[in-house]
């Protein structure tokens, strides 16, 4: 029986993870669950999966829910401290990090211990702390297995291959809802249009990131750290059907791809069973039914967020952290309808340009730059928009 903790169990990845676990009850059990605000759902999940403890990150509502968790005999911790404590506990075999945003970095670092597997859906962990996280995993003998469908696809294509035989990694991107929209029309994009992703049903932050293609930019950075290749060997192709999840080209010109219906339960289960597989009854891909899969080059002038992500990775140091933090804040502002869609890349670019230094000493230092980038975006929004 493998013991699993899910950080962020009430979001899209968290719910899908619990669905996977519920289908494999003889193999996996739930040790810990954490949630930020959706506490009714957390309580339901606790009743169904009987974790040892849960964490409510938003401390404002702890008192309201305390008696209910007490009644079902589940220990209740609270706040970011509770999250850090749970992520550091060693009575778990697999930690699924499904947190959204830079807040996911410290829990990942805490979870790195000998013999522990981290199934990573929080891309910011690697965008910010890629160097540190990869080094610590190696040193501690912990495994980092991606949940992101593109990285799961790459991992599957790379199984049994040698790093020196890789010519390039090709990440696929759906192109989001505005693939065919003229850049001049980006000014008029509404929140509702941006939240309407053509293929995937995800949380609001990642859905907006998919519409700007920042999501793909963050995934390029994630791939850079996960697979240890130089940046010139990581490329993006637009594939609107989201059936080919990513591809690897090898030095002999051969290309391997991983395909499947867009269903996150497949890469989640694979992150649990890797390098083996488990039989599952998820809906199957019928290629004859699809008939046509199409591909096109991404337009980096139109989707400036993707271009900025490549530039930030090239620059290295604190730049990816600034890219990520400024984007998180800009997306929040867009979600609360305080800025326009086309102002997201403007704010990110402005934050990147405002930073004078490039190197950092440690994680605290790095998180200071994260804070500075957030303040920059908020100040800029107040002063000029
Ligand atoms: Mg993805």
């Amino acid at each position: 029986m493998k013991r699993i903790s899910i950080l962020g169990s009430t979001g899209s990845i968290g719910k899908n993870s619990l669905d996977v676990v519920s289908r494999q009850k003889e193999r996996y059990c739930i040790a810990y669950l954490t949630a930020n605000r959706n506490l009714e759902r957390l309580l339901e999940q606790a009743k169904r999966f009987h974790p040892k403890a849960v964490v409510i990150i938003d401390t404002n509502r702890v008192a309201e829910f305390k008696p209910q968790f007490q009644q079902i005999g589940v220990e209740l911790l609270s706040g970011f401290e509770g999250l850090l404590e749970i992520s550091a506990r060693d009575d778990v075999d697999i930690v699924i990090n499904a947190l959204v945003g830079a807040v996911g970095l410290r829990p990942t670092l805490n979870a790195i211990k000998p013999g522990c597997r981290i199934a990573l859906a929080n891309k910011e962990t690697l965008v910010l702390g890629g160097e540190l996280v990869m080094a610590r995993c190696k040193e501690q003998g912990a495994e980092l297995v991606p949940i992101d469908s593109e990285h799961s696809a790459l991992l599957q294509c790379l199984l049994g291959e040698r790093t020196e035989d890789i010519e390039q990694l090709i990440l696929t991107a759906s192109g989001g809802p505005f693939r065919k929209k003229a850049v001049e029309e980006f000014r008029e994009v509404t929140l509702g249009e941006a939240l309407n992703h053509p293929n995937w049903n995800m949380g609001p932050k990642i859905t907006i990131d998919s519409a700007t293609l920042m999501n793909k930019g963050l995934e390029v950075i994630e791939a850079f750290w996960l697979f240890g290749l130089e940046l010139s060997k990581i490329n993006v192709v637009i594939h609107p059907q989201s059936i080919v999840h990513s591809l690897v080209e090898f030095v002999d010109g051969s290309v391997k791809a991983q395909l499947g219906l867009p269903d996150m339960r497949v890469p989640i289960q694979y992150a649990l069973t890797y390098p083996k597989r488990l039989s599952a009854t998820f809906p199957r891909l019928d290629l004859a039914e699809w008939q046509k899969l199409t591909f096109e080059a991404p337009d980096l002038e139109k989707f400036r967020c993707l271009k900025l992500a490549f530039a930030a990775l090239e620059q290295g140091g604190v730049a990816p952290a600034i890219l990520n933090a400024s984007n998180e804040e800009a997306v929040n502002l867009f979600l609360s309808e305080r800025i326009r869609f086309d102002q997201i890349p403007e704010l990110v670019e402005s934050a990147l340009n405002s930073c004078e230094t490039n190197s950092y000493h440690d994680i605290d230092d790095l998180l200071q730059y994260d804070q500075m980038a957030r303040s920059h975006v908020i100040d800029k929004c107040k002063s000029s928009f």
Side-chain angles (χ1 to χ4, degrees):
M1 209 56 162
K2 292 240 161 90
R3 299 156 299 177
I4 298 181
S5 72
I6 305 179
L7 313 180
S9 66
T10 58
S12 167
I13 296 289
K15 285 187 287 177
N16 278 311
S17 299
L18 285 171
D19 183 90
V20 169
V21 169
S22 71
R23 290 158 181 265
Q24 305 286 352
K25 276 196 204 104
E26 35 335 296
R27 286 188 173 85
Y28 302 108
C29 64
I30 295 295
Y32 301 107
L33 298 173
T34 86
N36 189 17
R37 276 188 291 262
N38 197 340
L39 306 184
E40 287 79 9
R41 181 166 288 143
L42 180 67
L43 183 62
E44 259 170 53
Q45 292 177 342
K47 283 179 182 164
R48 185 154 172 229
F49 292 93
H50 314 291
K52 286 184 202 165
V54 299
V55 182
I56 296 178
I57 298 165
D58 180 2
T59 48
N60 292 320
R61 293 179 68 200
V62 173
E64 178 191 341
F65 278 83
K66 200 168 186 172
Q68 303 183 67
F69 283 100
Q70 234 159 19
Q71 208 172 35
I72 56 169
V74 172
E75 185 194 354
L76 175 63
L77 291 90
S78 67
F80 192 60
E81 301 70 40
L83 177 65
L84 289 179
E85 190 191 322
I86 289 293
S87 56
R89 289 199 183 173
D90 55 10
D91 54 351
V92 280
D93 303 294
I94 303 173
V95 174
I96 298 179
N97 185 342
L99 297 166
V100 178
V103 76
L105 174 59
R106 281 192 193 276
T108 298
L109 286 167
N110 276 3
I112 300 174
K113 321 176 189 63
C116 187
R117 169 175 296 187
I118 298 156
L120 190 67
N122 173 260
K123 38 193 94 166
E124 293 81 0
T125 285
L126 290 174
V127 171
L128 266 83
E131 195 172 2
L132 187 70
V133 169
M134 295 312 287
R136 200 174 286 183
C137 281
K138 203 169 169 186
E139 173 195 302
Q140 293 280 321
E143 279 180 303
L144 194 70
V145 184
I147 281 182
D148 217 340
S149 59
E150 294 77 0
H151 305 79
S152 177
L154 294 170
L155 185 68
Q156 294 176 58
C157 293
L158 287 170
L159 215 57
E161 303 287 354
R162 303 181 309 168
T163 306
E164 58 264 42
D165 292 339
I166 304 169
E167 182 82 31
Q168 61 165 333
L169 307 181
I170 307 166
L171 282 92
T172 53
S174 72
F178 308 132
R179 184 170 59 89
K180 289 188 167 163
K181 211 181 233 328
V183 68
E184 300 74 41
E185 292 176 82
F186 278 13
R187 220 188 136 82
E188 319 300 333
V189 161
T190 66
L191 180 58
E193 288 170 328
L195 283 173
N196 188 18
H197 194 274
N199 306 338
W200 297 94
N201 184 8
M202 308 174 288
K205 160 72 168 53
I206 187 172
T207 303
I208 301 303
D209 284 347
S210 297
T212 61
L213 260 65
M214 180 59 95
N215 183 51
K216 210 49 52 181
L218 299 177
E219 289 179 356
V220 165
I221 303 176
E222 197 184 356
F224 174 82
W225 291 112
L226 266 177
F227 301 109
L229 292 168
E230 61 234 66
L231 178 55
S232 62
K233 291 190 171 179
I234 307 174
N235 292 296
V236 172
V237 69
I238 303 291
H239 167 48
Q241 297 82 17
S242 298
I243 295 297
V244 178
H245 296 310
S246 276
L247 315 90
V248 180
E249 184 188 326
F250 296 94
V251 286
D252 59 357
S254 181
V255 178
K256 279 161 87 173
Q258 189 263 343
L259 286 74
L261 291 173
D263 184 338
M264 283 311 294
R265 293 173 300 178
V266 179
I268 290 169
Q269 178 172 299
Y270 189 70
L272 304 182
T273 64
Y274 166 84
K276 295 183 188 160
R277 295 181 189 274
L278 270 180
S279 173
T281 55
F282 306 133
R284 298 295 151 117
L285 172 65
D286 178 354
L287 276 175
E289 202 177 287
W290 282 83
Q291 293 187 355
K292 211 159 129 190
L293 300 177
T294 61
F295 302 88
E296 62 196 50
D299 183 342
L300 295 187
E301 295 313 313
K302 189 163 136 184
F303 293 102
R304 279 166 57 213
C305 284
L306 181 56
K307 193 178 181 177
L308 290 168
F310 272 108
L313 183 53
E314 175 107 60
Q315 198 184 324
V318 297
I322 290 174
L323 172 95
N324 175 68
S326 57
N327 179 61
E328 268 183 42
E329 286 308 317
V331 170
N332 277 338
L333 290 167
F334 177 68
L335 285 171
S336 55
E337 300 189 86
R338 289 168 60 200
I339 62 166
R340 297 189 312 269
F341 182 75
D342 62 320
Q343 288 172 321
I344 297 173
E346 265 178 52
L347 286 167
V348 173
E349 189 165 18
S350 163
L352 282 167
N353 290 338
S354 76
C355 185
E356 280 154 15
T357 111
N358 197 33
S359 58
Y360 64 95
H361 309 294
D362 55 21
I363 201 80
D364 293 316
D365 196 23
L366 186 65
L367 290 172
Q368 288 225 325
Y369 284 101
D370 171 287
Q371 280 310 321
M372 274 167 51
R374 289 172 199 274
S375 309
H376 177 88
V377 167
I378 289 163
D379 293 346
K380 175 113 183 151
C381 172
K382 273 189 201 140
S383 64
S384 50
F385 297 148

